[in-house]
Every structure is written in structure tokens, then in C-alpha cells.
Amino acid sequence: SDHGLSINKNRITQTDGFFFEDGKKGFLELISQNPDVTAVLAGSDDMAVGILSAAYNLGIKVPDDLSLMGYDNLKIAEMAIPTLTTVAQPFEKMGERAAEMVFEMLTTGNMVESYYFPHKIIERQSVKAI
């Protein structure tokens, strides 16, 4: 919305967590409201694998009928069939920076600014080439 793009809230589902079952549940809700959906970005790789499972059970082929992308680049993204396109995050560096920020706040008593790490999209087989 900051960039003038419209947001259709019916095309967004929210779940209680970021796990396999949350992905299945969220996708079933999404597909019931939007049977024409052709692409999904999941909040985690675990959720994406849940979506992959639900899509399979519904006869929806990934990536032919549905492009699917996860988030985290966990090992399960490589183990899924088809392998999962995902957003990689530098977890180790993020943890190190978080610890540094906590120590800085404890030492100085001041709040520190947020820090954003670059991400990388890992292209695999779950997104249809167009």
C-alpha cells in the first residue's frame, strides 16, 4: 500500500504458526476463497511443504498448476518433491548480530537500530517458468 498497490485481503491467509499443519490449513482456506490462485508465497519452508501436501491431495500440480515458494531455505526445501524455491536468510549472521545488539543495549542502556540482512532467492523446481 505504501507504493500504491492494492491489497486483496481475501488472497492472504493467516495461521497460528509457521509449521506443516499451518501450511495445509492456510492453503485449504486460501484455495476455498480463491480457486483461481496460481502462486503462493508461504511464511516458512515448513508451511510450504504443508501447502505442497495439501495441493497434492487436491490434485493440484506444483509447479504446473501452482507456483510455490517458501521462506528460510531449510534442508526440507531440498528434500521436497518437487524441490522448493525459497528465500534464504543468513541465520548464523542474524543470530550473531542479535546477540551484539542485546549486549550493546545492556551495556549502554540505549535502544539500537534495526538491522536488515540481504536475502537470496534459491530457485528450484516449485515455481513455473513463464
Side-chain angles (χ1 to χ4, degrees):
S1 62
D2 290 347
H3 299 283
L5 301 172
S6 63
I7 297 173
N8 182 341
K9 298 214 186 245
N10 288 335
R11 294 202 176 261
I12 300 171
T13 57
Q14 189 170 353
T15 61
D16 295 331
F18 293 90
F19 302 103
F20 178 88
E21 289 297 329
D22 299 306
K24 285 176 62 174
K25 179 182 171 190
F27 181 69
L28 293 174
E29 181 181 329
L30 178 69
I31 201 76
S32 72
Q33 295 173 1
N34 303 279
D36 61 335
V37 70
T38 60
V40 173
L41 171 61
S44 74
D45 288 342
D46 284 342
M47 289 181 81
V49 174
I51 293 167
L52 189 61
S53 176
Y56 175 82
N57 288 334
L58 293 172
I60 299 170
K61 296 177 184 165
V62 175
D64 297 335
D65 303 326
L66 178 74
S67 288
L68 177 59
M69 190 168 168
Y71 204 96
D72 292 327
N73 195 31
L74 300 178
K75 195 69 174 167
I76 195 159
E78 293 180 77
M79 296 163 44
I81 298 173
T83 57
L84 187 62
T85 296
T86 186
V87 178
Q89 302 182 83
F91 289 120
E92 189 172 313
K93 289 180 182 178
M94 291 167 67
E96 289 172 0
R97 181 67 180 133
E100 290 169 1
M101 292 168 72
V102 168
F103 288 131
E104 185 177 338
M105 287 188 292
L106 290 171
T107 303
T108 66
N110 298 324
M111 292 297 295
V112 295
E113 288 188 37
S114 294
Y115 187 86
Y116 295 94
F117 286 87
H119 64 276
K120 182 178 179 184
I121 296 175
I122 308 297
E123 293 184 43
R124 294 196 179 103
Q125 300 170 328
S126 64
V127 173
K128 185 176 185 175
I130 51 174

mmCIF file with all atom_site columns, all heavy atoms in Angstrom, residues 22-49:
data_model
loop_
_atom_site.group_PDB
_atom_site.id
_atom_site.type_symbol
_atom_site.label_atom_id
_atom_site.label_alt_id
_atom_site.label_comp_id
_atom_site.label_asym_id
_atom_site.label_entity_id
_atom_site.label_seq_id
_atom_site.pdbx_PDB_ins_code
_atom_site.Cartn_x
_atom_site.Cartn_y
_atom_site.Cartn_z
_atom_site.occupancy
_atom_site.B_iso_or_equiv
_atom_site.pdbx_formal_charge
_atom_site.auth_seq_id
_atom_site.auth_comp_id
_atom_site.auth_asym_id
_atom_site.auth_atom_id
_atom_site.pdbx_PDB_model_num
ATOM 1   N N   . ASP A 1 22 ? 0.043   -25.816 9.667   1.00 0.00 ? 22 ASP A N   1
ATOM 2   C CA  . ASP A 1 22 ? -0.435  -24.449 9.419   1.00 0.00 ? 22 ASP A CA  1
ATOM 3   C C   . ASP A 1 22 ? -0.483  -24.177 7.915   1.00 0.00 ? 22 ASP A C   1
ATOM 4   O O   . ASP A 1 22 ? -1.409  -23.515 7.427   1.00 0.00 ? 22 ASP A O   1
ATOM 5   C CB  . ASP A 1 22 ? 0.482   -23.430 10.107  1.00 0.00 ? 22 ASP A CB  1
ATOM 6   C CG  . ASP A 1 22 ? 0.515   -23.611 11.612  1.00 0.00 ? 22 ASP A CG  1
ATOM 7   O OD1 . ASP A 1 22 ? -0.557  -23.625 12.236  1.00 0.00 ? 22 ASP A OD1 1
ATOM 8   O OD2 . ASP A 1 22 ? 1.629   -23.752 12.154  1.00 0.00 ? 22 ASP A OD2 1
ATOM 9   N N   . GLY A 1 23 ? 0.521   -24.674 7.186   1.00 0.00 ? 23 GLY A N   1
ATOM 10  C CA  . GLY A 1 23 ? 0.527   -24.516 5.736   1.00 0.00 ? 23 GLY A CA  1
ATOM 11  C C   . GLY A 1 23 ? -0.647  -25.214 5.084   1.00 0.00 ? 23 GLY A C   1
ATOM 12  O O   . GLY A 1 23 ? -1.318  -24.645 4.215   1.00 0.00 ? 23 GLY A O   1
ATOM 13  N N   . LYS A 1 24 ? -0.914  -26.451 5.503   1.00 0.00 ? 24 LYS A N   1
ATOM 14  C CA  . LYS A 1 24 ? -2.056  -27.194 4.959   1.00 0.00 ? 24 LYS A CA  1
ATOM 15  C C   . LYS A 1 24 ? -3.356  -26.449 5.227   1.00 0.00 ? 24 LYS A C   1
ATOM 16  O O   . LYS A 1 24 ? -4.154  -26.229 4.315   1.00 0.00 ? 24 LYS A O   1
ATOM 17  C CB  . LYS A 1 24 ? -2.120  -28.598 5.577   1.00 0.00 ? 24 LYS A CB  1
ATOM 18  C CG  . LYS A 1 24 ? -1.092  -29.557 5.033   1.00 0.00 ? 24 LYS A CG  1
ATOM 19  C CD  . LYS A 1 24 ? -1.113  -30.901 5.728   1.00 0.00 ? 24 LYS A CD  1
ATOM 20  C CE  . LYS A 1 24 ? -2.418  -31.629 5.568   1.00 0.00 ? 24 LYS A CE  1
ATOM 21  N NZ  . LYS A 1 24 ? -2.368  -33.004 6.141   1.00 0.00 ? 24 LYS A NZ  1
ATOM 22  N N   . LYS A 1 25 ? -3.552  -26.061 6.478   1.00 0.00 ? 25 LYS A N   1
ATOM 23  C CA  . LYS A 1 25 ? -4.790  -25.387 6.873   1.00 0.00 ? 25 LYS A CA  1
ATOM 24  C C   . LYS A 1 25 ? -4.949  -24.053 6.138   1.00 0.00 ? 25 LYS A C   1
ATOM 25  O O   . LYS A 1 25 ? -6.018  -23.747 5.615   1.00 0.00 ? 25 LYS A O   1
ATOM 26  C CB  . LYS A 1 25 ? -4.779  -25.159 8.384   1.00 0.00 ? 25 LYS A CB  1
ATOM 27  C CG  . LYS A 1 25 ? -5.992  -24.444 8.911   1.00 0.00 ? 25 LYS A CG  1
ATOM 28  C CD  . LYS A 1 25 ? -5.876  -24.213 10.410  1.00 0.00 ? 25 LYS A CD  1
ATOM 29  C CE  . LYS A 1 25 ? -6.983  -23.307 10.900  1.00 0.00 ? 25 LYS A CE  1
ATOM 30  N NZ  . LYS A 1 25 ? -6.771  -22.872 12.275  1.00 0.00 ? 25 LYS A NZ  1
ATOM 31  N N   . GLY A 1 26 ? -3.892  -23.280 6.099   1.00 0.00 ? 26 GLY A N   1
ATOM 32  C CA  . GLY A 1 26 ? -3.957  -21.980 5.439   1.00 0.00 ? 26 GLY A CA  1
ATOM 33  C C   . GLY A 1 26 ? -4.231  -22.103 3.952   1.00 0.00 ? 26 GLY A C   1
ATOM 34  O O   . GLY A 1 26 ? -4.991  -21.316 3.382   1.00 0.00 ? 26 GLY A O   1
ATOM 35  N N   . PHE A 1 27 ? -3.607  -23.102 3.313   1.00 0.00 ? 27 PHE A N   1
ATOM 36  C CA  . PHE A 1 27 ? -3.826  -23.283 1.884   1.00 0.00 ? 27 PHE A CA  1
ATOM 37  C C   . PHE A 1 27 ? -5.262  -23.710 1.592   1.00 0.00 ? 27 PHE A C   1
ATOM 38  O O   . PHE A 1 27 ? -5.863  -23.221 0.631   1.00 0.00 ? 27 PHE A O   1
ATOM 39  C CB  . PHE A 1 27 ? -2.846  -24.305 1.303   1.00 0.00 ? 27 PHE A CB  1
ATOM 40  C CG  . PHE A 1 27 ? -3.032  -24.506 -0.176  1.00 0.00 ? 27 PHE A CG  1
ATOM 41  C CD1 . PHE A 1 27 ? -2.710  -23.495 -1.063  1.00 0.00 ? 27 PHE A CD1 1
ATOM 42  C CD2 . PHE A 1 27 ? -3.538  -25.692 -0.676  1.00 0.00 ? 27 PHE A CD2 1
ATOM 43  C CE1 . PHE A 1 27 ? -2.885  -23.662 -2.434  1.00 0.00 ? 27 PHE A CE1 1
ATOM 44  C CE2 . PHE A 1 27 ? -3.713  -25.877 -2.028  1.00 0.00 ? 27 PHE A CE2 1
ATOM 45  C CZ  . PHE A 1 27 ? -3.389  -24.864 -2.914  1.00 0.00 ? 27 PHE A CZ  1
ATOM 46  N N   . LEU A 1 28 ? -5.810  -24.598 2.386   1.00 0.00 ? 28 LEU A N   1
ATOM 47  C CA  . LEU A 1 28 ? -7.198  -25.026 2.168   1.00 0.00 ? 28 LEU A CA  1
ATOM 48  C C   . LEU A 1 28 ? -8.156  -23.846 2.298   1.00 0.00 ? 28 LEU A C   1
ATOM 49  O O   . LEU A 1 28 ? -9.117  -23.726 1.527   1.00 0.00 ? 28 LEU A O   1
ATOM 50  C CB  . LEU A 1 28 ? -7.571  -26.153 3.135   1.00 0.00 ? 28 LEU A CB  1
ATOM 51  C CG  . LEU A 1 28 ? -6.821  -27.472 2.908   1.00 0.00 ? 28 LEU A CG  1
ATOM 52  C CD1 . LEU A 1 28 ? -7.158  -28.474 4.005   1.00 0.00 ? 28 LEU A CD1 1
ATOM 53  C CD2 . LEU A 1 28 ? -7.116  -28.040 1.525   1.00 0.00 ? 28 LEU A CD2 1
ATOM 54  N N   . GLU A 1 29 ? -7.882  -22.960 3.242   1.00 0.00 ? 29 GLU A N   1
ATOM 55  C CA  . GLU A 1 29 ? -8.690  -21.745 3.383   1.00 0.00 ? 29 GLU A CA  1
ATOM 56  C C   . GLU A 1 29 ? -8.504  -20.836 2.165   1.00 0.00 ? 29 GLU A C   1
ATOM 57  O O   . GLU A 1 29 ? -9.474  -20.328 1.602   1.00 0.00 ? 29 GLU A O   1
ATOM 58  C CB  . GLU A 1 29 ? -8.286  -21.004 4.656   1.00 0.00 ? 29 GLU A CB  1
ATOM 59  C CG  . GLU A 1 29 ? -9.071  -19.731 4.912   1.00 0.00 ? 29 GLU A CG  1
ATOM 60  C CD  . GLU A 1 29 ? -8.614  -19.013 6.167   1.00 0.00 ? 29 GLU A CD  1
ATOM 61  O OE1 . GLU A 1 29 ? -8.157  -19.685 7.124   1.00 0.00 ? 29 GLU A OE1 1
ATOM 62  O OE2 . GLU A 1 29 ? -8.695  -17.774 6.180   1.00 0.00 ? 29 GLU A OE2 1
ATOM 63  N N   . LEU A 1 30 ? -7.259  -20.646 1.759   1.00 0.00 ? 30 LEU A N   1
ATOM 64  C CA  . LEU A 1 30 ? -6.956  -19.780 0.618   1.00 0.00 ? 30 LEU A CA  1
ATOM 65  C C   . LEU A 1 30 ? -7.605  -20.291 -0.657  1.00 0.00 ? 30 LEU A C   1
ATOM 66  O O   . LEU A 1 30 ? -8.247  -19.528 -1.387  1.00 0.00 ? 30 LEU A O   1
ATOM 67  C CB  . LEU A 1 30 ? -5.443  -19.669 0.423   1.00 0.00 ? 30 LEU A CB  1
ATOM 68  C CG  . LEU A 1 30 ? -4.965  -18.823 -0.763  1.00 0.00 ? 30 LEU A CG  1
ATOM 69  C CD1 . LEU A 1 30 ? -5.273  -17.352 -0.517  1.00 0.00 ? 30 LEU A CD1 1
ATOM 70  C CD2 . LEU A 1 30 ? -3.484  -19.031 -1.004  1.00 0.00 ? 30 LEU A CD2 1
ATOM 71  N N   . ILE A 1 31 ? -7.461  -21.580 -0.921  1.00 0.00 ? 31 ILE A N   1
ATOM 72  C CA  . ILE A 1 31 ? -7.974  -22.152 -2.173  1.00 0.00 ? 31 ILE A CA  1
ATOM 73  C C   . ILE A 1 31 ? -9.503  -22.175 -2.185  1.00 0.00 ? 31 ILE A C   1
ATOM 74  O O   . ILE A 1 31 ? -10.123 -22.070 -3.239  1.00 0.00 ? 31 ILE A O   1
ATOM 75  C CB  . ILE A 1 31 ? -7.360  -23.548 -2.448  1.00 0.00 ? 31 ILE A CB  1
ATOM 76  C CG1 . ILE A 1 31 ? -7.458  -23.913 -3.926  1.00 0.00 ? 31 ILE A CG1 1
ATOM 77  C CG2 . ILE A 1 31 ? -7.982  -24.623 -1.603  1.00 0.00 ? 31 ILE A CG2 1
ATOM 78  C CD1 . ILE A 1 31 ? -6.475  -23.223 -4.797  1.00 0.00 ? 31 ILE A CD1 1
ATOM 79  N N   . SER A 1 32 ? -10.124 -22.273 -1.006  1.00 0.00 ? 32 SER A N   1
ATOM 80  C CA  . SER A 1 32 ? -11.593 -22.239 -0.974  1.00 0.00 ? 32 SER A CA  1
ATOM 81  C C   . SER A 1 32 ? -12.115 -20.840 -1.299  1.00 0.00 ? 32 SER A C   1
ATOM 82  O O   . SER A 1 32 ? -13.176 -20.699 -1.897  1.00 0.00 ? 32 SER A O   1
ATOM 83  C CB  . SER A 1 32 ? -12.116 -22.707 0.386   1.00 0.00 ? 32 SER A CB  1
ATOM 84  O OG  . SER A 1 32 ? -11.859 -21.743 1.381   1.00 0.00 ? 32 SER A OG  1
ATOM 85  N N   . GLN A 1 33 ? -11.366 -19.816 -0.938  1.00 0.00 ? 33 GLN A N   1
ATOM 86  C CA  . GLN A 1 33 ? -11.764 -18.429 -1.234  1.00 0.00 ? 33 GLN A CA  1
ATOM 87  C C   . GLN A 1 33 ? -11.301 -17.983 -2.621  1.00 0.00 ? 33 GLN A C   1
ATOM 88  O O   . GLN A 1 33 ? -11.872 -17.062 -3.198  1.00 0.00 ? 33 GLN A O   1
ATOM 89  C CB  . GLN A 1 33 ? -11.176 -17.475 -0.198  1.00 0.00 ? 33 GLN A CB  1
ATOM 90  C CG  . GLN A 1 33 ? -11.697 -17.669 1.197   1.00 0.00 ? 33 GLN A CG  1
ATOM 91  C CD  . GLN A 1 33 ? -10.945 -16.811 2.221   1.00 0.00 ? 33 GLN A CD  1
ATOM 92  O OE1 . GLN A 1 33 ? -10.049 -16.051 1.895   1.00 0.00 ? 33 GLN A OE1 1
ATOM 93  N NE2 . GLN A 1 33 ? -11.335 -16.949 3.475   1.00 0.00 ? 33 GLN A NE2 1
ATOM 94  N N   . ASN A 1 34 ? -10.241 -18.615 -3.116  1.00 0.00 ? 34 ASN A N   1
ATOM 95  C CA  . ASN A 1 34 ? -9.622  -18.206 -4.378  1.00 0.00 ? 34 ASN A CA  1
ATOM 96  C C   . ASN A 1 34 ? -9.256  -19.425 -5.219  1.00 0.00 ? 34 ASN A C   1
ATOM 97  O O   . ASN A 1 34 ? -8.082  -19.756 -5.342  1.00 0.00 ? 34 ASN A O   1
ATOM 98  C CB  . ASN A 1 34 ? -8.340  -17.404 -4.093  1.00 0.00 ? 34 ASN A CB  1
ATOM 99  C CG  . ASN A 1 34 ? -8.584  -16.208 -3.222  1.00 0.00 ? 34 ASN A CG  1
ATOM 100 O OD1 . ASN A 1 34 ? -9.019  -15.173 -3.697  1.00 0.00 ? 34 ASN A OD1 1
ATOM 101 N ND2 . ASN A 1 34 ? -8.310  -16.344 -1.935  1.00 0.00 ? 34 ASN A ND2 1
ATOM 102 N N   . PRO A 1 35 ? -10.244 -20.098 -5.794  1.00 0.00 ? 35 PRO A N   1
ATOM 103 C CA  . PRO A 1 35 ? -9.934  -21.314 -6.544  1.00 0.00 ? 35 PRO A CA  1
ATOM 104 C C   . PRO A 1 35 ? -9.058  -21.067 -7.772  1.00 0.00 ? 35 PRO A C   1
ATOM 105 O O   . PRO A 1 35 ? -8.484  -22.007 -8.314  1.00 0.00 ? 35 PRO A O   1
ATOM 106 C CB  . PRO A 1 35 ? -11.311 -21.855 -6.940  1.00 0.00 ? 35 PRO A CB  1
ATOM 107 C CG  . PRO A 1 35 ? -12.251 -20.729 -6.764  1.00 0.00 ? 35 PRO A CG  1
ATOM 108 C CD  . PRO A 1 35 ? -11.663 -19.809 -5.749  1.00 0.00 ? 35 PRO A CD  1
ATOM 109 N N   . ASP A 1 36 ? -8.912  -19.815 -8.170  1.00 0.00 ? 36 ASP A N   1
ATOM 110 C CA  . ASP A 1 36 ? -8.106  -19.478 -9.344  1.00 0.00 ? 36 ASP A CA  1
ATOM 111 C C   . ASP A 1 36 ? -6.661  -19.117 -8.998  1.00 0.00 ? 36 ASP A C   1
ATOM 112 O O   . ASP A 1 36 ? -5.887  -18.732 -9.873  1.00 0.00 ? 36 ASP A O   1
ATOM 113 C CB  . ASP A 1 36 ? -8.751  -18.312 -10.103 1.00 0.00 ? 36 ASP A CB  1
ATOM 114 C CG  . ASP A 1 36 ? -8.860  -17.045 -9.255  1.00 0.00 ? 36 ASP A CG  1
ATOM 115 O OD1 . ASP A 1 36 ? -8.894  -17.141 -8.008  1.00 0.00 ? 36 ASP A OD1 1
ATOM 116 O OD2 . ASP A 1 36 ? -8.921  -15.950 -9.846  1.00 0.00 ? 36 ASP A OD2 1
ATOM 117 N N   . VAL A 1 37 ? -6.260  -19.273 -7.742  1.00 0.00 ? 37 VAL A N   1
ATOM 118 C CA  . VAL A 1 37 ? -4.911  -18.895 -7.327  1.00 0.00 ? 37 VAL A CA  1
ATOM 119 C C   . VAL A 1 37 ? -3.877  -19.718 -8.094  1.00 0.00 ? 37 VAL A C   1
ATOM 120 O O   . VAL A 1 37 ? -4.061  -20.913 -8.305  1.00 0.00 ? 37 VAL A O   1
ATOM 121 C CB  . VAL A 1 37 ? -4.725  -19.023 -5.793  1.00 0.00 ? 37 VAL A CB  1
ATOM 122 C CG1 . VAL A 1 37 ? -4.711  -20.458 -5.344  1.00 0.00 ? 37 VAL A CG1 1
ATOM 123 C CG2 . VAL A 1 37 ? -3.469  -18.321 -5.327  1.00 0.00 ? 37 VAL A CG2 1
ATOM 124 N N   . THR A 1 38 ? -2.804  -19.044 -8.538  1.00 0.00 ? 38 THR A N   1
ATOM 125 C CA  . THR A 1 38 ? -1.768  -19.733 -9.320  1.00 0.00 ? 38 THR A CA  1
ATOM 126 C C   . THR A 1 38 ? -0.401  -19.666 -8.673  1.00 0.00 ? 38 THR A C   1
ATOM 127 O O   . THR A 1 38 ? 0.538   -20.298 -9.163  1.00 0.00 ? 38 THR A O   1
ATOM 128 C CB  . THR A 1 38 ? -1.660  -19.138 -10.739 1.00 0.00 ? 38 THR A CB  1
ATOM 129 O OG1 . THR A 1 38 ? -1.328  -17.745 -10.634 1.00 0.00 ? 38 THR A OG1 1
ATOM 130 C CG2 . THR A 1 38 ? -2.959  -19.316 -11.510 1.00 0.00 ? 38 THR A CG2 1
ATOM 131 N N   . ALA A 1 39 ? -0.258  -18.915 -7.581  1.00 0.00 ? 39 ALA A N   1
ATOM 132 C CA  . ALA A 1 39 ? 1.043   -18.803 -6.917  1.00 0.00 ? 39 ALA A CA  1
ATOM 133 C C   . ALA A 1 39 ? 0.839   -18.492 -5.439  1.00 0.00 ? 39 ALA A C   1
ATOM 134 O O   . ALA A 1 39 ? -0.087  -17.769 -5.070  1.00 0.00 ? 39 ALA A O   1
ATOM 135 C CB  . ALA A 1 39 ? 1.888   -17.713 -7.568  1.00 0.00 ? 39 ALA A CB  1
ATOM 136 N N   . VAL A 1 40 ? 1.725   -19.070 -4.612  1.00 0.00 ? 40 VAL A N   1
ATOM 137 C CA  . VAL A 1 40 ? 1.661   -18.850 -3.164  1.00 0.00 ? 40 VAL A CA  1
ATOM 138 C C   . VAL A 1 40 ? 3.071   -18.629 -2.634  1.00 0.00 ? 40 VAL A C   1
ATOM 139 O O   . VAL A 1 40 ? 3.993   -19.361 -2.993  1.00 0.00 ? 40 VAL A O   1
ATOM 140 C CB  . VAL A 1 40 ? 1.023   -20.061 -2.436  1.00 0.00 ? 40 VAL A CB  1
ATOM 141 C CG1 . VAL A 1 40 ? 1.111   -19.898 -0.930  1.00 0.00 ? 40 VAL A CG1 1
ATOM 142 C CG2 . VAL A 1 40 ? -0.418  -20.257 -2.872  1.00 0.00 ? 40 VAL A CG2 1
ATOM 143 N N   . LEU A 1 41 ? 3.217   -17.619 -1.790  1.00 0.00 ? 41 LEU A N   1
ATOM 144 C CA  . LEU A 1 41 ? 4.446   -17.409 -1.025  1.00 0.00 ? 41 LEU A CA  1
ATOM 145 C C   . LEU A 1 41 ? 4.113   -17.756 0.416   1.00 0.00 ? 41 LEU A C   1
ATOM 146 O O   . LEU A 1 41 ? 3.270   -17.116 1.034   1.00 0.00 ? 41 LEU A O   1
ATOM 147 C CB  . LEU A 1 41 ? 4.929   -15.964 -1.120  1.00 0.00 ? 41 LEU A CB  1
ATOM 148 C CG  . LEU A 1 41 ? 6.083   -15.577 -0.189  1.00 0.00 ? 41 LEU A CG  1
ATOM 149 C CD1 . LEU A 1 41 ? 7.338   -16.409 -0.484  1.00 0.00 ? 41 LEU A CD1 1
ATOM 150 C CD2 . LEU A 1 41 ? 6.387   -14.097 -0.292  1.00 0.00 ? 41 LEU A CD2 1
ATOM 151 N N   . ALA A 1 42 ? 4.748   -18.785 0.937   1.00 0.00 ? 42 ALA A N   1
ATOM 152 C CA  . ALA A 1 42 ? 4.497   -19.243 2.303   1.00 0.00 ? 42 ALA A CA  1
ATOM 153 C C   . ALA A 1 42 ? 5.428   -18.512 3.269   1.00 0.00 ? 42 ALA A C   1
ATOM 154 O O   . ALA A 1 42 ? 6.523   -18.093 2.896   1.00 0.00 ? 42 ALA A O   1
ATOM 155 C CB  . ALA A 1 42 ? 4.702   -20.747 2.402   1.00 0.00 ? 42 ALA A CB  1
ATOM 156 N N   . GLY A 1 43 ? 5.017   -18.418 4.520   1.00 0.00 ? 43 GLY A N   1
ATOM 157 C CA  . GLY A 1 43 ? 5.806   -17.751 5.543   1.00 0.00 ? 43 GLY A CA  1
ATOM 158 C C   . GLY A 1 43 ? 7.004   -18.543 6.025   1.00 0.00 ? 43 GLY A C   1
ATOM 159 O O   . GLY A 1 43 ? 7.850   -18.019 6.737   1.00 0.00 ? 43 GLY A O   1
ATOM 160 N N   . SER A 1 44 ? 7.098   -19.817 5.645   1.00 0.00 ? 44 SER A N   1
ATOM 161 C CA  . SER A 1 44 ? 8.233   -20.663 6.016   1.00 0.00 ? 44 SER A CA  1
ATOM 162 C C   . SER A 1 44 ? 8.287   -21.854 5.064   1.00 0.00 ? 44 SER A C   1
ATOM 163 O O   . SER A 1 44 ? 7.308   -22.162 4.384   1.00 0.00 ? 44 SER A O   1
ATOM 164 C CB  . SER A 1 44 ? 8.097   -21.161 7.459   1.00 0.00 ? 44 SER A CB  1
ATOM 165 O OG  . SER A 1 44 ? 7.100   -22.167 7.544   1.00 0.00 ? 44 SER A OG  1
ATOM 166 N N   . ASP A 1 45 ? 9.429   -22.508 5.040   1.00 0.00 ? 45 ASP A N   1
ATOM 167 C CA  . ASP A 1 45 ? 9.552   -23.721 4.222   1.00 0.00 ? 45 ASP A CA  1
ATOM 168 C C   . ASP A 1 45 ? 8.662   -24.837 4.755   1.00 0.00 ? 45 ASP A C   1
ATOM 169 O O   . ASP A 1 45 ? 8.084   -25.601 3.983   1.00 0.00 ? 45 ASP A O   1
ATOM 170 C CB  . ASP A 1 45 ? 11.005  -24.195 4.169   1.00 0.00 ? 45 ASP A CB  1
ATOM 171 C CG  . ASP A 1 45 ? 11.894  -23.289 3.328   1.00 0.00 ? 45 ASP A CG  1
ATOM 172 O OD1 . ASP A 1 45 ? 11.365  -22.502 2.517   1.00 0.00 ? 45 ASP A OD1 1
ATOM 173 O OD2 . ASP A 1 45 ? 13.120  -23.379 3.488   1.00 0.00 ? 45 ASP A OD2 1
ATOM 174 N N   . ASP A 1 46 ? 8.542   -24.949 6.075   1.00 0.00 ? 46 ASP A N   1
ATOM 175 C CA  . ASP A 1 46 ? 7.664   -25.973 6.654   1.00 0.00 ? 46 ASP A CA  1
ATOM 176 C C   . ASP A 1 46 ? 6.224   -25.769 6.185   1.00 0.00 ? 46 ASP A C   1
ATOM 177 O O   . ASP A 1 46 ? 5.532   -26.731 5.823   1.00 0.00 ? 46 ASP A O   1
ATOM 178 C CB  . ASP A 1 46 ? 7.716   -25.949 8.179   1.00 0.00 ? 46 ASP A CB  1
ATOM 179 C CG  . ASP A 1 46 ? 8.974   -26.571 8.741   1.00 0.00 ? 46 ASP A CG  1
ATOM 180 O OD1 . ASP A 1 46 ? 9.655   -27.320 8.025   1.00 0.00 ? 46 ASP A OD1 1
ATOM 181 O OD2 . ASP A 1 46 ? 9.276   -26.307 9.922   1.00 0.00 ? 46 ASP A OD2 1
ATOM 182 N N   . MET A 1 47 ? 5.773   -24.531 6.189   1.00 0.00 ? 47 MET A N   1
ATOM 183 C CA  . MET A 1 47 ? 4.420   -24.236 5.702   1.00 0.00 ? 47 MET A CA  1
ATOM 184 C C   . MET A 1 47 ? 4.296   -24.588 4.227   1.00 0.00 ? 47 MET A C   1
ATOM 185 O O   . MET A 1 47 ? 3.284   -25.147 3.797   1.00 0.00 ? 47 MET A O   1
ATOM 186 C CB  . MET A 1 47 ? 4.090   -22.756 5.891   1.00 0.00 ? 47 MET A CB  1
ATOM 187 C CG  . MET A 1 47 ? 3.875   -22.326 7.312   1.00 0.00 ? 47 MET A CG  1
ATOM 188 S SD  . MET A 1 47 ? 3.477   -20.571 7.416   1.00 0.00 ? 47 MET A SD  1
ATOM 189 C CE  . MET A 1 47 ? 1.728   -20.633 7.019   1.00 0.00 ? 47 MET A CE  1
ATOM 190 N N   . ALA A 1 48 ? 5.320   -24.250 3.453   1.00 0.00 ? 48 ALA A N   1
ATOM 191 C CA  . ALA A 1 48 ? 5.285   -24.529 2.020   1.00 0.00 ? 48 ALA A CA  1
ATOM 192 C C   . ALA A 1 48 ? 5.165   -26.024 1.745   1.00 0.00 ? 48 ALA A C   1
ATOM 193 O O   . ALA A 1 48 ? 4.440   -26.441 0.846   1.00 0.00 ? 48 ALA A O   1
ATOM 194 C CB  . ALA A 1 48 ? 6.524   -23.947 1.332   1.00 0.00 ? 48 ALA A CB  1
ATOM 195 N N   . VAL A 1 49 ? 5.844   -26.844 2.534   1.00 0.00 ? 49 VAL A N   1
ATOM 196 C CA  . VAL A 1 49 ? 5.734   -28.292 2.360   1.00 0.00 ? 49 VAL A CA  1
ATOM 197 C C   . VAL A 1 49 ? 4.320   -28.757 2.739   1.00 0.00 ? 49 VAL A C   1
ATOM 198 O O   . VAL A 1 49 ? 3.765   -29.652 2.106   1.00 0.00 ? 49 VAL A O   1
ATOM 199 C CB  . VAL A 1 49 ? 6.832   -29.041 3.134   1.00 0.00 ? 49 VAL A CB  1
ATOM 200 C CG1 . VAL A 1 49 ? 6.638   -30.546 3.066   1.00 0.00 ? 49 VAL A CG1 1
ATOM 201 C CG2 . VAL A 1 49 ? 8.209   -28.670 2.576   1.00 0.00 ? 49 VAL A CG2 1
#
